[in-house]
Amino acid sequence: MTYMTPIKGYIELRRVLKDYLKEQGITLKDLLDVMDEDKDEIMESLRKRVQLTEEQSRTLERTLSSRDLNLLLFVIQTFYILNPSGLYKGFIIDPSREDVMWRNKVTYDGCKMILKALRISRGLT
């Protein structure tokens, strides 16, 4: 018999991030301070996890700071790629994994949804 955790509803991604960092005993600043600041390297890491055309890649790189790109990378890896259930403490993360991913990568539209949920969308098209 397989036991499934009952789904309790939805939880905003921004709230998930805050709660996760608090549980880990680190601040967002601490996390971003230890991440790579080289945009080329950040973008290379993102391209491995996100389905991006060259134009979309350039748009992200041009529009977002290194810190924003690192936060996007961290959130994608932690809450979407390494979390196939799409749940956090029994709640469905909003935006949902199904809405932001196709196969095993995040879509460009999924990136925009994640950035909007984190309140760092900065007019991406």
Side-chain angles (χ1 to χ4, degrees), residues 5-94:
T5 304
I7 296 174
K8 302 174 185 175
Y10 287 86
I11 186 169
E12 293 178 355
L13 178 59
R14 190 171 163 96
R15 184 169 166 202
V16 169
L17 177 62
K18 286 181 181 181
D19 186 70
Y20 179 83
L21 292 175
K22 182 178 177 183
E23 281 193 350
Q24 300 303 312
I26 59 174
T27 66
L28 185 57
K29 182 185 181 319
D30 293 339
L31 173 71
L32 296 175
D33 282 349
V34 298
M35 295 181 80
D36 199 340
E37 291 186 28
D38 180 2
K39 272 193 175 184
D40 290 335
E41 298 206 11
I42 300 167
M43 289 307 301
E44 182 61 33
S45 293
L46 275 173
R47 281 189 283 276
K48 291 177 183 175
R49 294 160 178 84
V50 181
Q51 299 169 12
L52 293 171
T53 65
E54 283 301 314
E55 182 179 335
Q56 291 167 338
S57 182
R58 284 191 301 271
T59 299
L60 285 175
E61 190 172 6
R62 182 180 64 247
T63 308
L64 301 174
S65 69
S66 295
R67 292 178 80 77
D68 291 342
L69 290 169
N70 272 326
L71 179 57
L72 176 63
L73 180 61
F74 175 78
V75 166
I76 286 171
Q77 185 69 25
T78 305
F79 302 116
Y80 293 98
I81 293 176
L82 295 177
N83 181 17
S85 72
L87 300 176
Y88 183 76
K89 296 183 177 182
F91 291 91
I92 298 169
I93 298 170
D94 183 30

